[in-house]
């Protein structure tokens, strides 16, 4: 998400044929650099398992995999949990604030996992995530969790220190049952803008004020998490460092500076090359990249820039499009369909009550568009492959 503001102290035969063809070419999530032989074998295995699970799913189960729904980290509501279960939602974000610690958080996570779908006798594990950046954006605290400094402080450490401490934070998330951190923030906030940058600078969420410092900091953070077996998300592509408005609370947030070749994109490029499995797309508009669409709905930003130019093969996740003011001009159904059509994979909504309308919108478009069904099939495969890589799929 863009800021901590809202968290006071988340077919037809043609599509199947397309999916099978796609499955043979999809690399495991985030694999952009040349792999070692063992890594390649693991990727093939993960992709094969994803294929098996996909084949056994109903259409409703496949569509549910496209969503990450928010539940309260401290005490999820039974209504939200019921909504996620009814619509087969495949991923969860812990939202708000919890000071209960790792053991209590693990009980919340286990409860959510227990309601996940089964396919061919095996549970299709949830991906469970949160915002554990540090500073004012740390959802989980209490016994077992470190107090994490803000990113600007983290960026002042040596890469070895940051990598080591990030590994510790990742192990804490893993102990609490989580798979994915919606961090690090790869946005470059110029020193001249500083705290006037509402979504990032105001909260010291940036690792520094130059592409080089941010690249170093995000890379060390991600490396520590990768070593501990917890996935990361580079956000908010193509960067929120040049804006003054906050997409969570403001409409018409515009970046009129960033281009497709700006140096500020280097942290994302480096993160992709290092194998980040997730990239989050912002809800601002970038007039020098695509003046017609918000980035989260832009084929130019997602398909042309992120997928083609940067070669990202992993899961493209939206910033929150459940309650963010930036997308309020669109119905929930339009938000979901527009994001997927633009090339996105996983729809993040911190407001679980928006899921039914979003699911219905996706299913309605699938009923009328073969190309959209193929797009959905590719996205579900990427998500299932990420789950297999995280050890959340079982295939016999």
């Amino acid at each position: 998400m863009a800021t901590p503001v809202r968290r006071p102290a988340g077919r037809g035969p043609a599509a199947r044929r397309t999916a099978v063809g796609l499955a043979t070419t999809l690399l495991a999530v985030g694999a952009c650099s040349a792999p070692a032989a063992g890594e390649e074998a693991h990727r093939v295995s993960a992709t094969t398992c994803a294929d098996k699970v996909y084949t056994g799913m109903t259409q409703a189960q496949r569509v549910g995999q496209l969503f990450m729904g928010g539940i309260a980290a401290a005490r999820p509501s039974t209504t939200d949990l019921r909504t996620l279960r009814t619509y087969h939602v495949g991923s969860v974000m812990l939202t708000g604030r919890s000071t209960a610690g790792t053991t209590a958080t693990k009980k919340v996570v286990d409860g959510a996992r227990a309601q996940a779908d089964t396919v061919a006798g095996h549970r299709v594990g949830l991906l469970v995530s949160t915002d554990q950046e540090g500073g004012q954006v740390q959802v989980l605290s209490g016994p077992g969790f470190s107090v994490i400094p803000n990113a600007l402080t983290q960026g002042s450490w040596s890469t070895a220190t940051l990598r080591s401490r990030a590994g510790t934070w990742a192990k804490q998330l893993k102990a609490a049952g989580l798979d994915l951190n919606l961090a690090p923030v790869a946005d470059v906030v110029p020193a001249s803008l500083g705290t006037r940058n509402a979504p990032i600078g105001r909260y010291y969420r940036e690792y520094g004020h130059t592409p080089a410092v941010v690249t170093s900091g995000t890379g060390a953070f991600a490396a520590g998490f990768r070593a501990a077996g917890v996935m990361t998300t580079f956000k908010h592509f193509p960067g929120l460092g040049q804006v003054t408005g906050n997409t969570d609370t403001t409409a018409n947030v515009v970046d009129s500076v960033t281009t497709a070749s700006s140096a500020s994109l280097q942290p994302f490029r480096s993160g992709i090359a290092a194998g980040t499995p997730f990239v989050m797309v912002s809800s601002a508009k970038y007039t020098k990249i695509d003046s017609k669409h918000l980035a989260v709905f832009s084929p130019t930003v997602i398909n042309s820039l992120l997928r083609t130019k940067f070669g990202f093969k992993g899961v493209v996740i939206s910033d929150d499009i459940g309650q963010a003011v930036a997308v309020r001009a669109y119905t929930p159904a339009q938000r979901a369909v527009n994001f997927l059509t633009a090339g996105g994979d996983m729809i993040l909504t911190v407001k679980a009550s928006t899921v039914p309308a979003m699911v219905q919108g996706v299913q309605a478009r699938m009923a009328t568009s073969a190309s959209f069904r193929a797009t959905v099939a590719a996205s579900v495969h990427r998500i299932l492959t990420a789950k297999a890589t995280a050890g959340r799929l079982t295939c016999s």
Side-chain angles (χ1 to χ4, degrees):
M1 262 68 64
T3 74
V5 170
R6 64 173 155 291
R7 304 185 208 97
R11 261 159 236 157
R16 290 196 187 94
R17 288 195 297 271
T18 303
V20 170
L22 283 163
T24 62
T25 59
L26 283 173
L27 294 174
V29 178
C32 297
S33 53
E39 292 173 338
E40 181 62 30
H42 179 63
R43 291 170 189 170
V44 170
S45 174
T47 305
T48 301
C49 185
D51 293 342
K52 289 181 179 178
V53 173
Y54 179 90
T55 299
M57 283 180 152
T58 64
Q59 177 173 293
Q61 288 175 324
R62 292 170 183 169
V63 171
Q65 292 298 308
L66 300 168
F67 291 86
M68 175 178 282
I71 60 172
R75 186 176 297 176
S77 79
T78 54
T79 299
D80 288 346
L81 289 171
R82 187 183 308 114
T83 297
L84 301 187
R85 181 173 64 250
T86 299
Y87 290 90
H88 310 280
V89 170
S91 300
V92 167
M93 179 189 177
L94 303 183
T95 64
R97 289 289 185 271
S98 171
T99 59
T102 54
T103 302
T105 301
K106 180 70 158 52
K107 291 180 181 177
V108 170
V109 171
D110 287 348
R113 290 195 187 284
Q115 68 176 34
D117 281 348
T118 58
V119 172
H122 297 295
R123 196 175 296 281
V124 182
L126 299 178
L127 284 184
V128 181
S129 74
T130 197
D131 273 344
Q132 200 80 339
E133 298 173 18
Q136 294 185 57
V137 187
Q138 180 174 343
V139 171
L140 304 175
S141 61
F145 288 113
S146 299
V147 176
I148 305 173
N150 62 50
L152 199 56
T153 297
Q154 294 175 39
S156 71
W157 299 341
S158 71
T159 53
T161 296
L162 178 51
R163 184 168 57 246
S164 174
R165 294 186 186 177
T168 297
W169 305 331
K171 289 173 184 175
Q172 294 167 354
L173 286 183
K174 195 168 189 177
L178 281 79
D179 310 288
L180 173 66
N181 193 359
L182 299 178
V185 170
D187 309 322
V188 180
V189 179
S192 59
L193 192 55
T195 56
R196 290 187 296 118
N197 172 259
I200 310 299
R202 178 182 176 186
Y203 303 98
Y204 309 107
R205 299 170 73 195
E206 73 274 34
Y207 280 86
H209 300 298
T210 66
V213 173
V214 175
T215 297
S216 177
T218 53
F221 183 96
F225 270 74
R226 184 164 55 248
V230 177
M231 297 185 291
T232 55
T233 308
F234 275 62
K235 63 184 186 185
H236 310 77
F237 189 84
L240 283 173
Q242 294 284 356
V243 303
T244 54
N246 173 353
T247 55
D248 283 345
T249 58
T250 309
N252 303 315
V253 176
V254 175
D255 176 334
S256 58
V257 176
T258 304
T259 70
S261 57
S262 288
S264 60
L265 294 174
Q266 184 56 42
F268 294 101
R269 188 189 295 272
S270 295
I272 291 165
T276 184
F278 284 73
V279 170
M280 179 182 286
V281 179
S282 98
S283 297
K285 181 178 287 185
Y286 298 80
T287 56
K288 291 190 175 178
I289 300 175
D290 181 352
S291 63
K292 296 180 180 179
H293 303 94
L294 303 182
V296 75
F297 303 144
S298 169
T300 302
V301 169
I302 299 177
N303 273 333
S304 299
L305 184 55
L306 182 55
R307 290 276 189 220
T308 302
K309 184 174 181 179
F310 283 17
F312 182 58
K313 302 292 192 295
V315 176
V316 176
I317 184 171
S318 71
D319 200 346
D320 170 50
I321 55 175
Q323 67 178 20
V325 173
V327 297
R328 278 197 189 162
Y330 303 84
T331 67
Q334 288 171 332
R335 297 171 207 169
V337 170
N338 290 352
F339 173 65
L340 295 171
T341 300
D345 300 308
M346 185 177 284
I347 298 154
L348 172 59
T349 172
V350 301
K351 192 175 180 181
S353 60
T354 64
V355 167
M358 289 180 168
V359 166
Q360 289 159 16
V362 171
Q363 290 176 330
R365 179 61 60 89
M366 289 176 69
T368 61
S369 171
S371 64
F372 187 75
R373 290 195 296 272
T375 294
V376 166
S379 291
V380 175
H381 270 85
R382 290 189 192 100
I383 291 164
L384 291 176
T385 300
K387 290 187 171 188
T389 302
R392 292 300 175 191
L393 292 190
T394 303
C395 294
S396 56

